[in-house]
Amino acid sequence: MTKFEPKIVGFVCNWCTYAGADLAGVTRTQYRPNVRIVRVPCTGRVDPLFIIKAFENGADGVLISGCHPGDCHYISGNFHAKRRWIFFKGLTDFIGIEPERIQYAWVSAAEANKWAKMVDEVTESIAKLGPFTRYHDLKKPLPDQNAPPMIWSEAWLPGIEEGVELPEESPSAPALREKARELLESGEVKVVIGYCWAKRQRRVVPLFISKPEEVSRLVFNSLCVNNLAVYLPKKQGDVAKMGKPAIIAKGCDIKTIVVLLQEEQIARDGVVILGVSCSGVVYRQELWKGKMAPDLLAPKCFDCDVKTPHLA
Ligand code: FES
């Protein structure tokens, strides 16, 4: 009675896997009763938010199953689902969900035995991982939730750690530092939001500087992944309180700024945008091994059409 029985949500395609599961029932095939089935017209309908919602509502695992390649009733829905899953997989760690908790499979209407076997295996593997509590833990308010954002302090000394090879700086970086200095010296802005290398965290992190002599800390290279525009809205009071900001923005970050302007969360004359040309950023900084390999490039950079930013 004390054995942990995982709750698994199964998003299954109406045409293949649902029929396969139905066949397993009709033929009285025995299998573990842990999967709660949600029938969808096609696996292409499975939005990653469905998966997150399932975990939020207490699932310990998610199973997505549909037609075999080439059998999708909507021609390529299952390929879209698979591709979406490949992208989403990279985010699961970030969200706090072990990727093994989400399984993807192809099961046809005739494969009742395969369905039963797969459910047994998936249940077993998720049972080994134990109950999923991480999401709920993450939702608990953090003690420092209302703490101000990290503002530059001399005590927090970034610097290039010995042996750590940083990617080549963007050719625009020196001009960027110069412009930041000019803006701070003239008093046109009170804070520059940019990037710096943080020795302790071993990664490039957001940096807020308010003194011209600190601009040498600013870096811009392919590890500058964060979208700094998140610090701009008025409700981010602590940055707003510092005075008018200048922000270093890649072309893709400027898209966010445009939305913030449209939503009137910021005013155009309330921010100076320092646009910087970007030839792509890495997918995840922790994967950086000193060389820029094509498979490290963030997916959003493959078909980027804003390498040279507008509006800046
Ligand atoms: Fe079954 Fe598209 S119809 S996966």
Side-chain angles (χ1 to χ4, degrees), residues 60-75:
D60 300 302
V62 167
L63 171 64
I64 302 153
S65 180
C67 308
H68 282 270
D71 285 353
C72 175
H73 283 53
Y74 305 94
I75 303 176

Side-chain angles (χ1 to χ4, degrees), residues 1 68 80 97-98 143 145 196 229 255 273 298 303:
M1 292 299 285
H68 282 270
H80 285 293
I97 302 170
E98 299 97 325
Q145 178 161 271
C196 74
K255 289 184 179 176
I273 305 169
D303 53 1

Side-chain angles (χ1 to χ4, degrees), residues 31-54:
Y31 63 95
R32 305 272 295 262
N34 301 61
V35 175
R36 277 72 165 166
I37 286 181
V38 178
R39 180 161 50 153
V40 288
C42 168
T43 48
R45 177 68 184 88
V46 181
D47 188 301
L49 287 178
F50 292 3
I51 301 175
I52 296 177
K53 201 77 190 160

Side-chain angles (χ1 to χ4, degrees), residues 289-303:
K289 297 279 186 303
K291 288 268 176 298
M292 189 65 190
D295 59 340
L296 269 183
L297 202 63
K300 67 173 182 175
C301 301
F302 283 113
D303 53 1

Side-chain angles (χ1 to χ4, degrees), residues 29-284:
T29 309
Q30 295 287 315
Y31 63 95
R32 305 272 295 262
N34 301 61
V35 175
R36 277 72 165 166
I37 286 181
V38 178
R39 180 161 50 153
V40 288
C42 168
T43 48
R45 177 68 184 88
V46 181
D47 188 301
L49 287 178
F50 292 3
I51 301 175
I52 296 177
K53 201 77 190 160
F55 284 112
E56 189 185 340
N57 285 306
D60 300 302
V62 167
L63 171 64
I64 302 153
S65 180
C67 308
H68 282 270
D71 285 353
C72 175
H73 283 53
Y74 305 94
I75 303 176
S76 56
N78 50 2
F79 290 123
H80 285 293
K82 184 80 183 176
R83 197 179 312 160
R84 204 178 285 156
W85 162 232
I86 289 166
F87 282 123
F88 181 63
K89 202 171 180 178
L91 285 173
T92 50
D93 245 2
F94 174 74
I95 303 168
I97 302 170
E98 299 97 325
E100 302 78 38
R101 290 190 184 273
I102 307 164
Q103 306 275 342
Y104 198 98
W106 322 110
V107 175
S108 79
E111 293 176 319
N113 288 339
K114 181 176 173 185
W115 167 256
K117 191 162 173 268
M118 185 186 68
V119 169
D120 286 348
E121 285 169 4
V122 168
T123 307
E124 203 45 52
S125 69
I126 291 172
K128 278 195 194 124
L129 292 173
F132 178 71
T133 56
R134 182 97 188 269
Y135 187 88
H136 300 276
D137 295 346
L138 287 175
K139 275 184 26 175
K140 283 183 199 148
L142 298 171
D144 62 347
Q145 178 161 271
N146 296 318
M150 202 188 302
I151 303 290
W152 165 251
S153 103
E154 279 298 331
W156 180 59
L157 275 178
I160 310 301
E161 198 174 345
E162 246 176 77
V164 174
E165 196 184 339
L166 283 184
E168 207 178 311
E169 267 222 311
S170 153
S172 333
L176 206 58
R177 285 189 281 267
E178 210 29 61
K179 190 70 193 166
R181 179 192 307 281
E182 206 180 294
L183 288 167
L184 287 168
E185 274 173 356
S186 67
E188 191 179 339
V189 302
K190 296 288 180 232
V191 57
V192 174
I193 310 173
Y195 303 92
C196 74
W197 172 255
K199 186 174 172 179
R200 205 184 314 153
Q201 286 143 298
R202 296 172 61 86
R203 57 196 291 135
V204 169
V205 297
L207 171 71
F208 304 82
I209 52 173
S210 52
K211 296 185 193 142
E213 55 274 22
E214 289 167 359
V215 295
S216 58
R217 311 280 182 197
L218 286 172
V219 297
F220 190 81
N221 56 34
S222 51
L223 296 186
C224 297
V225 181
N226 308 57
N227 179 353
L228 302 176
V230 297
Y231 297 106
L232 286 181
K234 288 176 200 149
K235 64 176 191 253
Q236 302 282 5
D238 298 290
V239 176
K241 267 183 231 151
M242 295 181 78
K244 183 174 172 177
I247 183 169
I248 292 174
K250 306 182 284 293
C252 51
D253 304 338
I254 287 184
K255 289 184 179 176
T256 311
I257 298 176
V258 169
V259 175
L260 293 174
L261 288 167
Q262 284 170 340
E263 291 177 350
E264 296 180 2
Q265 296 203 46
I266 54 171
R268 182 63 189 96
D269 55 4
V271 58
V272 173
I273 305 169
L274 301 176
V276 58
S277 310
C278 166
S279 50
V281 292
V282 300
Y283 177 39
R284 279 162 57 188

